[in-house]
Amino acid sequence: MRREWEARIDSVAAQFVLGEAASVGPAAEALAWIRQEAGREGWDEISRLAARIAERMATSPQWHTEGALAEGLDKLRRAVEAATAGDAAVARKPNELAQDPGLVNDFILETRDHLTSIENDLLTLDREPSQPEALHSIFRSFHTVKGLAGFLEFDSIRALAHEVETILDLARNQQLAITPAVIDVVLESADYLKQEMNRLEAGLSGAQPGEAAPVGGLVARVQSLDRPCSVAALPDPLLPPAAPARTDAPSSSPEPPAPASAAAPPPVPAAAQAPGEKFSVRVDTQKLDHLLDMVGEMVIAQSMVRQDPELAGLRSPRVTRNLTQLSRVTVEVQKTAMAMRMMPVGQLFHRVARLVRDLSRKMDKPADLDMSGEETQIDKTIVEELADPMMHMVRNSLDHGIEPAGDRLAAGKSGRARIALRATHQAGHILIEIEDDGRGLDRDRILAKARGRGLVGEGQTPSDNDIYNLIFEPGFSTAAAVTDVSGRGVGMDVVRRQVAKLRGRIEIHSEPGKGTVFQLKLPLTLAIIDGLVVGVGGERYIVPIFAVQEMFRPTPEMLSSVKGQGEMAMVRNRLLPVVRLHRRFSVTPRTREAAESLFVVAETGGRRFCLMVDEFIGKQEVVIKSLGEGMKNIPGVAGGAILGDGRVGLILDLEGVYGEHALA
Amino acid sequence: MAYDVLIVDDSPAMRSFIGRVLGLTGMEIGERLEAGHGREALEILGRSWVDVILTDINMPVMNGEEFLEQVAARGDLKTVPVVVVSTDSTGTRVERMMSLGAKGYVKKPFSPESLREELERVLEVSHG
């Protein structure tokens, strides 16, 4: 085996003594073999050295006279000698490590961490190709994944990671420019790893994992990135002419001209080194949820003790003081536990960034993405559940909102579109905005369509904003042509429903020719709800406060009965349906006279209605308790809560409450 | 006698892999200590008895080279052999590690046998 290696090196060396008759072809072939085999063996330095020698031979017309190259070749020979001396003899044994689910799981978790940071760093590089720290970090991630895969003998992963590492190493040494094409292939490699992690994970949970997906094509594409590609001969259609894949001015200088030394990498920022110093523990989400549940119980137990009439009867300053201390500590524990479920919304943004990048290239609509407020913390479940709706909205923006570059230029706009993602805190809520600078919504077309579908009566003239919000109605799509990106009928109504499920609201603002803004208002956490506690008979119900528009005692003049639509109330010149909560839940109310009851105007899914109740008890933050399997799917009930006085209240799911009414 | 081992690597998964291979060598292993980088390793060396160190080269905060320099600078650690465990298989970096005082080297991935061989060599275990 060692022979073979030496033969290849000899064949490269032979070209140097041929003088003018030297030909780069056989040498390049031999070096490619060395590179590939070294990669397979895991001898990275040899592989990289061979690549560098090949590269220099290809770019220097007088290569056979260069002493430096001959020296490099000698170095390669020594390295190969050293490498083949020992390792070759070691026979492989069946892999015991890969049989250990614990180790494989460690591998999956860690690789996924790396994949997240790889994606973020790639998007950074896409914006600023000369970001040495991002490049370095991607390199390290692939390097680590390769090392781990080597131990487990996941060969396809190792081979791919090795090739990507090689490419990134060239880029680190300023021998390869980071072009969109490079980023594409590296992203694709990350996708492959992601897919493999899912496959391995399925294998761990007992499913038949099947074979690793074929990786050869991808490996070849990664390798082709650093072909001393005479750019002229093989123009890459993806590349703007101004940015050739590499700087290969024919020159005998060892390095491509200047920028290398001029742009000496700045010192590593401290933040990039932080992960090593900041320790964290991975916790199963289920355990965390259980902890939160128990904290909820504790908060309630604590409030029950505080409100206990017997204890209050003691009038003991010491008991009062200790109880105050207890509640202070309880609140602190609750806050901390809640904070554990929070994560920065940036993770979500980065997924969107990836989508914008892919789509804008696919649709040939150049677009830049601005992000702000990525560090804003929000409930983990919201981040997860919001991914699909966000993707959908951004897809819509790019597909329908953003005009083709030509149209934009004609309209006096920049040819590059701008999409902005913003997250901000707002008094107990988080506001997420998605803004584009596209053509805006087509008011007249939406209105025409809404009239056609009977959503707006002929006589009615809704405000612009009301018209825009019609796009959230089920089945509403004005896309003239169905593209493969959006317009498949799953529409914005799904987005609104998903957002409502997270107890959030969505609004849209648009200006013709200027663009569109989607505004998502979401609760910070799903574990606590700010509610209006109302009473019907002896029961307590909690109406989520974000849905409450107003509360009042109706006068008889406001009430009417419309044929076919049941009871209605005229509120601020709008006729709203009335839902009697006692009827809905079959309880005996204190009064059946609407004029003696109280009305809560609630809004859900864009519709308003009046909820008839006996009394308002107050506003309270309640910890949501799941009702357990048996009661999970009762329409109109979102969950239960134990109130401060120890009584149980049902949290209303307004969509369900209203839906049942509409069907009746 | 059981050997107390310190594994220095920034990848937690890699530390468990190495730990597992260590277990498969059949050698008697006592404490298995872990550090994510050189500085953390030095702290551990200050408070725990260690018979042999296995260290990576590329690490954040304090890399393998600096770590070796620090170990060499401390007289009390002269008797603790350091084995470099790295994917960089040949050339200058490993040579440099050896010149800084590393006693042995294994390339990732490695078999239990090759690890045992290297450990026995640096620990001067005699086969009686």
Side-chain angles (χ1 to χ4, degrees):
Chain A
M1 125 140 209
R2 187 167 169 174
R3 271 275 167 71
E4 247 181 296
W5 288 84
E6 278 168 359
R8 309 278 166 163
I9 294 174
D10 285 343
S11 92
V12 181
Q15 298 302 322
F16 283 87
V17 292
L18 285 177
E20 288 306 310
S23 148
V24 79
E29 217 170 277
L31 286 167
W33 183 92
I34 291 170
R35 205 186 124 190
Q36 197 181 350
E37 289 302 306
R40 191 170 296 164
E41 292 288 338
W43 301 336
D44 307 340
E45 293 220 334
I46 295 182
S47 167
R48 268 181 229 142
L49 185 57
R52 259 175 241 150
I53 293 173
E55 134 105 27
R56 211 162 137 177
M57 286 176 80
T59 48
S60 158
Q62 293 296 310
W63 57 269
H64 55 276
T65 62
E66 271 187 45
L69 263 175
E71 232 172 72
L73 198 63
D74 274 348
K75 187 172 164 190
L76 185 68
R77 189 190 296 274
R78 284 197 301 274
V80 167
E81 272 167 17
T84 49
D87 294 35
V90 182
R92 282 203 167 177
K93 282 190 52 176
N95 192 308
E96 287 175 76
L97 263 49
Q99 305 301 319
D100 184 324
L103 293 183
V104 174
N105 193 44
D106 283 351
F107 172 65
I108 296 173
L109 290 178
E110 191 167 312
T111 303
R112 285 196 173 138
D113 280 352
H114 283 293
L115 285 172
T116 309
S117 67
I118 286 171
E119 245 183 33
N120 292 347
D121 287 328
L122 278 171
L123 293 168
T124 308
L125 272 189
D126 197 30
R127 284 194 304 273
E128 307 168 54
S130 55
Q131 240 281 356
E133 197 37 52
L135 182 59
H136 190 68
S137 152
I138 303 171
F139 174 85
R140 285 180 55 90
S141 286
F142 275 104
H143 180 80
T144 303
V145 170
K146 181 183 84 168
L148 296 172
F151 265 103
L152 296 176
E153 288 173 21
F154 294 152
D155 290 335
S156 62
I157 297 174
R158 189 178 104 167
L160 180 64
H162 170 74
E163 290 304 331
V164 175
E165 191 192 346
T166 307
I167 287 298
L168 295 172
D169 191 49
L170 286 175
R172 280 203 309 181
N173 295 319
Q174 320 267 346
Q175 292 173 3
L176 179 79
I178 296 286
T179 61
V182 172
I183 291 179
D184 271 354
V185 177
V186 180
L187 274 173
E188 216 181 302
S189 305
D191 286 345
Y192 176 86
L193 296 183
K194 228 185 268 178
Q195 198 186 318
E196 280 299 289
M197 291 311 117
N198 293 342
R199 187 182 68 82
L200 291 171
E201 190 176 50
L204 285 183
S205 58
Q208 266 302 324
E211 288 294 299
V215 75
L218 189 53
V219 166
R221 248 171 318 137
V222 179
Q223 285 174 337
S224 73
L225 288 174
D226 99 83
R227 268 298 121 68
C229 50
S230 4
V231 181
L234 261 173
D236 184 343
L238 296 171
L239 294 181
R246 59 212 297 68
T247 39
D248 60 349
S251 131
S252 57
S253 71
E255 291 293 324
S261 50
V268 179
Q273 302 228 336
E277 293 194 309
K278 199 167 145 191
F279 294 101
S280 56
V281 182
R282 235 176 245 286
V283 182
D284 190 336
T285 325
Q286 274 183 346
K287 280 190 194 158
L288 198 56
D289 286 344
H290 185 63
L291 172 70
L292 271 171
D293 223 31
M294 288 300 112
V295 170
E297 300 274 3
M298 186 174 78
V299 171
I300 293 153
Q302 176 266 146
S303 105
M304 282 162 70
V305 172
R306 263 172 73 95
Q307 296 183 19
D308 189 285
E310 270 177 53
L311 271 180
L314 289 177
R315 294 181 188 284
S316 148
R318 202 185 57 204
V319 169
T320 312
R321 203 170 51 235
N322 290 343
L323 282 176
T324 311
Q325 175 65 6
L326 173 65
S327 72
R328 223 188 347 252
V329 174
T330 314
V331 167
E332 207 50 48
V333 170
Q334 189 185 16
K335 265 199 218 154
T336 313
M338 295 291 177
M340 286 183 200
R341 273 199 65 91
M342 305 290 251
M343 61 194 283
V345 74
Q347 293 215 5
L348 182 59
F349 282 12
H350 289 299
R351 287 184 63 183
V352 175
R354 169 81 194 270
L355 181 80
V356 169
R357 181 179 183 278
D358 290 354
L359 284 183
S360 80
R361 296 194 62 201
K362 190 167 162 195
M363 299 193 285
D364 196 22
K365 291 179 177 176
D368 294 323
L369 184 74
D370 293 341
M371 294 189 274
S372 65
E374 294 117 295
E375 68 295 334
T376 312
Q377 299 272 326
I378 189 167
D379 194 284
K380 182 176 177 306
T381 310
I382 299 182
V383 169
E384 283 159 7
E385 298 283 315
L386 210 53
D388 286 343
M390 289 269 286
M391 301 288 202
H392 193 82
M393 283 184 278
V394 169
R395 216 174 271 139
N396 251 289
S397 285
L398 270 159
D399 205 16
H400 306 314
I402 306 280
E403 318 88 326
D407 294 10
R408 291 180 62 89
L409 291 171
K413 294 184 186 179
S414 149
R416 292 189 74 81
R418 207 182 55 84
I419 293 181
L421 294 177
R422 286 186 291 269
T424 41
H425 263 299
Q426 276 196 347
H429 281 81
I430 180 170
L431 182 73
I432 296 181
E433 291 180 296
I434 304 169
E435 182 177 357
D436 69 57
D437 66 347
R439 58 167 78 94
L441 292 175
D442 188 338
R443 179 190 179 283
D444 297 334
R445 209 158 96 206
I446 297 171
L447 187 58
K449 177 139 186 185
R451 286 200 204 280
R453 297 182 47 116
L455 291 167
V456 175
E458 279 307 318
Q460 283 175 287
T461 49
S463 71
D464 284 1
N465 228 14
D466 286 346
I467 293 174
Y468 295 146
N469 282 290
L470 284 169
I471 67 164
F472 294 117
E473 293 301 320
F476 203 97
S477 169
T478 59
V482 172
T483 68
D484 70 334
V485 177
S486 59
R488 273 164 308 196
V490 279
M492 298 299 287
D493 60 317
V494 180
V495 170
R496 182 164 71 184
R497 211 172 319 136
Q498 190 83 6
V499 172
K501 226 171 75 191
L502 296 169
R503 302 206 308 272
R505 294 166 51 122
I506 183 164
E507 273 178 34
I508 191 165
H509 302 279
S510 186
E511 212 175 317
K514 292 258 177 70
T516 306
V517 192
F518 289 104
Q519 288 186 321
L520 293 163
K521 202 173 169 193
L522 294 155
L524 290 175
T525 168
L526 294 176
I528 293 187
I529 188 168
D530 214 0
L532 173 71
V533 186
V534 298
V536 179
E539 304 296 325
R540 297 278 181 272
Y541 298 96
I542 296 134
V543 188
I545 212 99
F546 65 85
V548 174
Q549 302 290 316
E550 57 182 315
M551 306 174 276
F552 59 89
R553 183 182 294 280
T555 57
E557 307 79 77
M558 295 168 88
L559 303 163
S560 59
S561 212
V562 178
K563 203 172 163 225
Q565 289 190 37
E567 271 182 293
M568 303 291 274
M570 182 64 91
V571 183
R572 296 180 198 281
N573 291 326
R574 274 177 75 174
L575 214 47
L576 303 178
V578 175
V579 177
R580 290 174 176 247
L581 207 54
H582 67 86
R583 218 175 262 170
R584 180 66 196 74
F585 289 111
S586 311
V587 293
T588 312
R590 218 169 47 191
T591 175
R592 290 178 200 277
E593 271 311 311
E596 286 171 18
S597 70
L598 295 166
F599 276 16
V600 179
V601 179
E603 187 186 273
T604 173
R607 287 162 311 209
R608 286 183 186 194
F609 64 99
C610 297
L611 211 53
M612 178 175 147
V613 301
D614 286 345
E615 55 179 334
F616 300 145
I617 315 251
K619 183 177 157 297
Q620 197 184 333
E621 267 193 356
V622 295
V623 179
I624 300 175
K625 307 273 300 166
S626 147
L627 289 174
E629 284 307 314
M631 293 179 70
K632 213 166 206 168
N633 292 318
I634 298 182
V637 178
I642 302 173
L643 302 171
D645 57 3
R647 295 173 64 166
V648 176
L650 290 179
I651 300 166
L652 296 182
D653 159 33
L654 294 170
E655 188 83 20
V657 169
Y658 182 77
E660 287 290 304
H661 165 86
L663 290 176
Chain B
M1 187 197 84
Y3 295 104
D4 299 327
V5 184
L6 172 61
I7 302 171
V8 194
D9 198 306
D10 57 330
S11 157
M14 186 57 84
R15 296 201 295 268
S16 14
F17 287 10
I18 295 172
R20 171 55 59 91
V21 178
L22 213 46
L24 293 171
T25 56
M27 294 175 74
E28 223 182 309
I29 303 298
E31 285 290 324
R32 206 180 88 197
L33 302 153
E34 295 184 10
H37 50 76
R39 193 181 302 158
E40 205 186 324
L42 286 172
E43 281 165 26
I44 292 175
L45 286 167
R47 61 169 187 261
S48 306
W49 176 262
V50 169
D51 292 304
V52 61
I53 302 168
L54 296 173
T55 183
D56 189 18
I57 303 179
N58 289 305
M59 289 178 290
V61 186
M62 183 189 284
N63 67 22
E65 288 173 18
E66 265 179 85
F67 172 57
L68 265 178
E69 280 169 354
Q70 297 278 338
V71 170
R74 276 178 53 175
D76 57 332
L77 296 177
K78 275 216 174 69
T79 55
V80 187
V82 181
V83 174
V84 178
V85 176
S86 170
T87 339
D88 284 321
S89 54
T90 51
T92 48
R93 284 210 90 177
V94 174
E95 273 164 34
R96 178 155 169 74
M97 292 293 276
M98 297 310 238
S99 73
L100 287 173
K103 293 282 184 302
Y105 165 74
V106 277
K107 183 176 80 71
K108 291 182 209 166
F110 46 80
S111 63
E113 294 74 25
S114 55
L115 180 62
R116 179 179 186 134
E117 202 176 294
E118 196 67 356
L119 284 178
E120 286 183 340
R121 192 176 66 74
V122 302
L123 288 166
E124 293 164 9
V125 178
S126 54
H127 293 276

